[in-house]
Amino acid sequence: MSDTGLRQKAARLRRAYAPHEHRPLGGYLVAMGAYAGVTGALAGLVKATGRPVPERPAPSDVVLLSIATHKLSRLLSKDAVTSPLRAPFTRYDRPIGSGEVMEQVRDSGSPTRHAIGELLSCPFCLAVWVATGLTGGLVLAPRLTRLVATALTAVAASDFLQMAYATAQQAAEGGHDDD
């Protein structure tokens, strides 16, 4: 099939998939290819270094990496301080509290840029990449990965404690009547 025929077929597929909305299927393919490349590189690095892969990760590592994945995904996708990383792919919309911001994906530009914008502004989407990196780190550099994951887990716990404290403080202030 010619390049032109392939492009026409892809355009028909995009229109059939989402006739009333722009969905950057080509950009998603690029993102999936990049993820597969990163995962393959991690697997190759593990094989080249001869690091043993655990048959079953320890439950404590699963919990630690789960919480660290949550925190790092939110930090990268929503934190105001990390907005310069997202700025080429997103547009600031508004603050959403607790040092986080809401951003909109830039629609102009390439489908790849759009897909990266969606990935970088979605903590759920980004979590797959973060978990893969942390899991690879657990095999390649377990002590360092556990240390970093511990710090991220402590920050996540601190976030919840800060929110609980603020909620308790608001409840205490709202419970006083100054008659």
Side-chain angles (χ1 to χ4, degrees):
M1 180 178 282
S2 72
D3 188 42
T4 306
L6 190 57
R7 286 180 195 266
Q8 289 174 347
K9 192 170 190 168
R12 281 195 306 274
L13 177 63
R14 276 193 304 276
R15 285 191 302 272
Y17 175 72
H20 304 294
E21 190 174 334
H22 171 66
R23 301 307 309 151
L25 298 181
Y28 295 154
L29 283 172
V30 170
M32 289 188 320
Y35 178 80
V38 167
T39 304
L42 275 173
L45 198 53
V46 167
K47 187 170 177 80
T49 60
R51 296 296 238 161
V53 176
E55 183 177 321
R56 189 173 300 129
S60 59
D61 283 336
V62 173
V63 171
L64 183 66
L65 266 54
S66 297
I67 298 169
T69 294
H70 163 78
K71 183 58 197 172
L72 187 54
S73 298
R74 287 215 67 91
L75 178 77
L76 292 172
S77 65
K78 294 293 181 187
D79 202 275
V81 175
T82 57
S83 59
L85 302 175
R86 299 182 304 274
F89 309 98
T90 61
R91 243 182 5 267
Y92 173 81
D93 189 11
R94 67 187 185 283
I96 56 174
S98 302
E100 293 187 341
V101 296
M102 178 60 71
E103 295 166 329
Q104 300 300 318
V105 174
R106 290 180 189 253
D107 284 328
S108 60
S110 73
T112 301
R113 181 177 174 181
H114 183 105
I116 292 170
E118 285 190 26
L119 175 66
L120 291 178
S121 62
C122 171
F124 299 96
C125 307
L126 202 53
V128 174
W129 291 71
V130 170
T132 299
L134 289 173
T135 302
L138 195 58
V139 173
L140 294 167
R143 290 176 66 180
L144 178 60
T145 301
R146 284 188 186 101
L147 182 65
V148 170
T150 297
L152 290 165
T153 298
V155 173
S158 175
D159 289 350
F160 283 102
L161 290 170
Q162 296 289 357
M163 289 182 215
Y165 182 87
T167 300
Q169 191 174 32
Q170 287 174 349
E173 290 171 359
H176 293 266
D177 284 2
D178 295 329
D179 294 309

